[in-house]
């Protein structure tokens, strides 16, 4: 298949790509504004909007009393009040909505809204929630083998706890929606969402109208990363409510500070573990307890916990294992999907454990990893799915050789012997990431393909372009399947009006699902066209018989492979089909075969396949300041037969550095009162261009097509996020070495400069 530049690359670079806020003001358009709670826990006792409503330019102010339909929204269960009625559950929870002619009027009105809140003690941390036994849902479990026997048969046992922090999505485009009221009940929403179907449903439910009266359209997102999977619904539902009451278009955009404060983040986890292993570092038993901070409402927390549990063993075969997982409620904004969807949390935990085992035994951590990898004999996961097409060993061999890992590790050891204050570390991390939504019903997709009589083609599918290159890949797929040039294909903005009942673009399944659905539609069209063409040619010259199945679509031509003189250009064929009255539009549909998961039993086949990869990071650490400098990263990643190698390498690079941010820099700090302290880029430290390692070798594994997927490709969006864990592991390596591996360094995620300095201090002076 021909590859292509990201179709919006030039538009992005020149600022010409249209994001929602680039759409010029609609006639009569109003400015939407949310007034949110300044306290994390309390009761809204009373409020008075009368003074605020008098501000010139203010058209309406809405409270919970003004919701015509459902007063609650939510992704899985409707548990979140659209606007606070009595109990307040987090800072940022919406209280009132203002529609005004302009922003100044809205801000002035906000100041004049009078309300009384009775403050209550908030629960902020997982530990506080545990003390109150404030579980979101009962603890879940996945287990296999016999733990007790496993520990008895182990040479050594170690125990510990491990934490990771939150992560802010920091998509460049903040949450935004425009609501456009139409005739009667019609409501059109332009939304920066990963899930237009969910927005459609929630808007309809909140307004008390039918789904068919709501259309949601999304051309592109200025980044989503999971943060617009469920939480794009807020601005959309608010804009819709204001538009409903004013009968005017309403634009609702969050300011950066509000976006950072109001919206949920990657879930912090607090994990406990006990692991038994033999003298070679082979793991015999592991008892793992994962605890996530869900925030105030369910959002996708249970699905995220499930994915964390299904990745709690990462690439390692552990014969006796118990994984228990609980999501704990707190008075923080509901935490939500973020690239990896719990997978990174589960994997970071086991990678910390394996690193500890290696340090304890004074072995090369990469080798301890290797001997625990799934292999041909040991290939069943704790949840009963067989690991097929395992690429771990081949990737390990290729990458360690290419990156010269073993020699460089020796050099690092030598370097550290001769340097007192500046140390180096190198670490490797494997990736085994399950592809499919673990909620099996979500693994389906639709498409609509229209051929016009000039031979140009419109393709609509349910997937969302958020920068990851989905539209480009779908366009390539459509061009290849129809055998026409790339320029003939136009991907139209995604809308619920063309493809209904779509899943979110998430779980890295965008191209797998929508690519297959588009192919299905194209297969139908090709069959129709071939049949009509065979009849047409056979009628013209009955001496030769063309069979529909012999027609080939390639190079903008359609021809009979048995009688190549019977050929017609694609555009002529389109015209001919119209004259012959053959329908030139078709819907397509796909559902992933064979996926299921029994939550009660903790067993099943939740993933269609696994994506594999391995990453190595070498870095330098200044012990006196805690400053980390990445020196080199080497990544070998399995994308099957890549649909677009440039885009896939870009995805790997981006995921790696985004993950390094979570590992080493990004630190969401909350007060005891549940307020996020660092709600701006000035106080929330993220990776920037100078943090990219100067030597950054990213390669795709060549020659391993994936059976049963669209053009033998593999999903790429989330799996490479795992590579960044190698940076954290390299820091941990350095710290462990400081006292010759006598104690486990006190290091959690994120390993920010301050935490590193404290850990160094503990190692050297306590
Ligand atoms: N890449 C860019 N540039 N922007 C994004 O928002 N989101 C990531 C990943 N890569 C994201 C991205 C996440 S969280 C997912 S699930 C996938 O893209 C979704 O797209 P896909 O299924 O088409 O890979
Ligand atoms: C990965 C994901 C998602 C997931 C499971 C994964 C995801 C998502 C859901 C989900 C689960 C239950 C629901 C629902 C959504 O599950 O993004 O509406 O009822 O939304 O393994 O990325
Ligand atoms: Mo991605 S976290 O599944 O949107």
């Amino acid at each position: 298949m021909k590859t292509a530049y990201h179709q919006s690359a030039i538009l992005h670079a020149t600022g010409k790509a249209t994001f929602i806020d680039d759409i010029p003001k609609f006639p009569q358009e109003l400015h939407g504004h949310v007034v949110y709670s300044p306290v994390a826990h309390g009761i809204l006792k009373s409020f008075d909007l009368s003074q605020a409503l008098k501000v010139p330019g203010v058209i309406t102010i809405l409270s919970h009393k003004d919701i015509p339909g459902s007063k609650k929204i939510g992704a899985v269960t409707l548990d979140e009040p659209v606007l606070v009625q009595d109990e307040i559950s987090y800072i940022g929870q919406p209280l009132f909505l203002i529609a005004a002619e302009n922003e100044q009027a809205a801000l002035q009105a906000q100041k004049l809204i009078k309300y009384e809140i009775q403050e209550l003690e908030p629960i902020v941390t997982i530990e506080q929630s545990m003390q109150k036994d404030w579980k979101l849902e009962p603890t879940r479990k996945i287990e296999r083998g016999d733990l007790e026997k496993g520990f008895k048969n182990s040479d050594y046992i170690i125990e510990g706890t491990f934490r990771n922090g939150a992560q802010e999505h920091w998509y460049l485009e903040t949450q935004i929606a425009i609501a456009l009221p139409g005739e009667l009940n019609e409501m059109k929403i332009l939304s920066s969402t990963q899930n237009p179907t969910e927005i459609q449903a929630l808007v309809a439910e909140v307004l008390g109208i039918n789904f068919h009266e709501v259309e949601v359209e999304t051309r592109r997102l200025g980044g989503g990363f999971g943060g617009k999977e469920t939480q794009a619904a807020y601005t959309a539902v608010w804009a819709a409510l204001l538009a409903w009451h004013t009968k005017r278009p309403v634009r609702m955009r969050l300011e950066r500070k509000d976006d950072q404060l109001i919206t949920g983040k990657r879930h912090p986890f607090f994990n406990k573990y006990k692991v038994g292993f033999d003298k070679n570092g082979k793991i015999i038993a592991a008892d793992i307890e994962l605890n996530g901070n869900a925030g105030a409402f369910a959002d996708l927390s249970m699905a995220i916990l499930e994915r964390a549990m299904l990745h709690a063993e990462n690439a390692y075969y552990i014969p006796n294992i118990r994984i228990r997982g609980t999501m704990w409620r707190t008075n923080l904004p509901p935490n939500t999907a973020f690239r990896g969807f719990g997978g990174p949390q589960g994997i970071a935990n086991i990678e910390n454990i394996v690193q500890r085992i290696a340090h304890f035994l004074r072995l090369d951590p990469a080798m301890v990893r290797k001997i625990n990898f799934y292999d041909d004999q040991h290939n069943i996961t704790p949840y009963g799915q067989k690991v097929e097409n395992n690429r771990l060993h081949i990737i390990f061999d290729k990458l360690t050789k290419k990156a010269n890992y073993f020699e460089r590790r020796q050099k690092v050891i030598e370097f550290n012997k001769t340097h007192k204050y500046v140390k180096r570390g190198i670490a490797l991390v494997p990736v085994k990431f399950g592809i499919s939504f673990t909620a099996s019903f979500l693994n389906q997709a639709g498409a609509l393909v229209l051929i016009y009589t000039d031979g140009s083609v419109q393709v609509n599918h349910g997937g969302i372009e958020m920068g990851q290159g989905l539209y480009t890949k779908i366009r390539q797929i459509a061009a290849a399947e129809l055998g026409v040039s790339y320029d003939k294909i136009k991907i139209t903005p995604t809308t619920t009006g063309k493809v209904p009942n779509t899943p979110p673009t998430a779980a890295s399944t965008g191209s797998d699902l929508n690519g297959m659905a588009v192919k299905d539609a194209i297969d139908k069209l090709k069959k129709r066209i071939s049949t009509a063409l065979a009849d047409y040619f056979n009628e013209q010259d009955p001496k030769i018989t063309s069979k529909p199945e012999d027609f080939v679509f390639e190079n903008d031509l359609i021809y009979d492979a048995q009688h190549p003189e019977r050929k017609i250009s694609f555009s002529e064929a389109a015209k001919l089909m119209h004259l012959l009255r053959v329908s030139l539009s078709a819907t397509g549909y796909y559902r992933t075969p064979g996926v299921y998961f029994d939550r009660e039993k903790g067993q099943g086949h939740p993933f269609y396949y696994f994506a594999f990869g391995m990453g190595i990071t070498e870095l330098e650490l200044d012990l006196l300041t805690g400053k980390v400098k990445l020196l080199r990263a080497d990544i070998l990643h399995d994308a099957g037969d890549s649909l677009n190698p440039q885009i896939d390498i870009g995805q790997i690079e981006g995921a790696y550095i985004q993950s390094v941010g979570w590992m080493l820099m990004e630190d969401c700090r909350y007060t005891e009162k549940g307020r996020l302290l660092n709600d701006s880029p000035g106080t929330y430290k993220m990776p920037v261009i100078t943090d990219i390692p100067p030597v950054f070798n990213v390669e795709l594994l060549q020659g391993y097509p994936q059976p049963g997927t669209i053009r033998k490709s593999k999903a790429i969006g989330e799996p490479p996020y795992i590579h960044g864990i190698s940076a954290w592991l390299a820091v941990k390596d350095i710290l462990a070495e400081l006292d010759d591996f006598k104690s486990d360094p006190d290091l959690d995620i994120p390993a920010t400069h301050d935490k590193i300095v404290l850990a160094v201090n503990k190692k050297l002076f306590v």
Side-chain angles (χ1 to χ4, degrees), residues 31-37 61-62 82-84 90 92-100 106-107 110 113 115 175 234-235 238-239 242 250-255 258-259 262:
H31 176 88
H33 182 80
V34 63
V35 180
Y36 56 80
S37 170
I61 304 179
L62 307 180
V82 177
L83 294 169
V84 167
Y90 63 91
Q93 197 176 0
L95 303 174
F96 312 104
L97 300 172
I98 303 174
L107 292 177
Q110 165 165 276
I113 295 178
Y115 56 84
Q175 304 276 2
Y234 300 136
T235 47
W238 299 339
L242 289 169
V250 175
R251 186 177 305 226
M252 193 96 205
R253 179 173 65 83
L254 293 185
E255 291 296 324
D258 293 338
D259 191 303
I262 293 174

Side-chain angles (χ1 to χ4, degrees), residues 223-226 339 466-468 470 505-511 651 717-718:
F225 305 110
R339 205 172 200 167
M466 56 189 109
Q468 87 279 37
L470 177 63
T505 300
S508 306
T509 60
S511 51
Q651 283 289 297
E718 295 166 293

Side-chain angles (χ1 to χ4, degrees), residues 158 277 281 352-369 733 741:
I158 55 183
F277 49 99
N352 173 56
I353 293 172
V354 175
Q355 199 82 348
R356 266 198 83 176
I357 293 172
H359 292 160
F360 181 89
L361 298 171
R362 295 167 195 238
L363 296 171
D364 178 348
M367 293 312 292
V368 173
R369 291 194 156 82
D733 235 14
F741 304 102

Side-chain angles (χ1 to χ4, degrees), residues 169 194 224-229 266 300 304 307 336-342 433 437 466 504-509 717-718:
H169 300 83
Q194 293 174 239
F225 305 110
K228 293 174 182 168
E229 197 182 324
R266 180 185 295 285
L300 294 171
I304 288 163
R307 185 166 277 274
T336 194
F338 196 142
R339 205 172 200 167
F341 204 76
F433 199 89
F437 290 98
M466 56 189 109
T505 300
S508 306
T509 60
E718 295 166 293

Side-chain angles (χ1 to χ4, degrees), residues 537-704:
F537 283 125
N538 293 345
E539 223 165 87
Q540 277 199 332
D541 179 3
K543 288 194 291 292
I544 305 173
T545 309
S546 286
K547 287 180 284 174
E549 59 272 25
D550 287 334
F551 280 89
V552 175
F553 291 62
E554 89 192 357
N555 300 326
D556 289 299
L557 287 175
I558 308 171
Y559 63 90
D560 179 348
Q562 302 302 323
H563 310 280
E565 70 282 6
R566 286 189 159 180
K567 65 168 190 244
I568 181 168
S569 78
F570 186 81
S571 49
E572 279 173 64
K575 235 173 260 136
L576 180 62
M577 290 302 116
H578 188 63
L579 293 174
L580 295 173
R581 296 191 293 171
V582 174
S583 161
L584 285 175
S585 68
T587 58
Y589 181 78
Y590 175 74
R591 55 180 176 187
T592 312
V595 288
Y596 66 96
F597 185 64
D598 184 332
R599 221 158 261 165
E600 296 305 312
K601 295 198 185 103
Q603 296 288 309
H605 194 289
F607 304 119
Y608 191 38
Y609 62 86
F610 294 99
F612 298 99
M614 237 160 265
I616 296 174
T617 299
E618 183 179 353
L619 49 75
E620 201 166 270
L621 170 64
D622 182 332
L623 293 182
L624 300 179
T625 62
K627 188 171 158 52
V628 174
K629 197 166 86 189
L630 301 191
L631 298 177
R632 173 171 169 178
D634 295 83
I635 293 170
L636 183 57
H637 196 92
D638 163 31
D641 275 354
S642 169
L643 290 170
N644 186 318
Q646 284 164 294
I647 285 177
D648 286 355
I649 286 173
Q651 283 289 297
I652 297 167
E653 291 170 343
Y656 172 83
I657 203 74
Q658 189 170 40
S659 173
V660 167
W662 180 50
M663 289 286 138
L664 303 179
M665 300 172 197
E666 300 180 42
D667 192 5
C668 295
R669 297 277 183 102
Y670 298 89
T671 65
E672 284 168 20
K673 296 267 190 196
R675 192 192 190 281
L676 180 69
L677 278 169
N678 41 353
D679 56 12
S680 80
T683 47
Y684 184 73
K685 187 176 181 335
M686 290 169 282
V688 294
I689 196 161
T690 48
D691 293 308
I692 294 169
V695 183
F696 198 7
N697 301 316
V698 176
E699 259 189 56
L700 300 173
L701 181 69
Q702 300 294 331
Y704 292 87

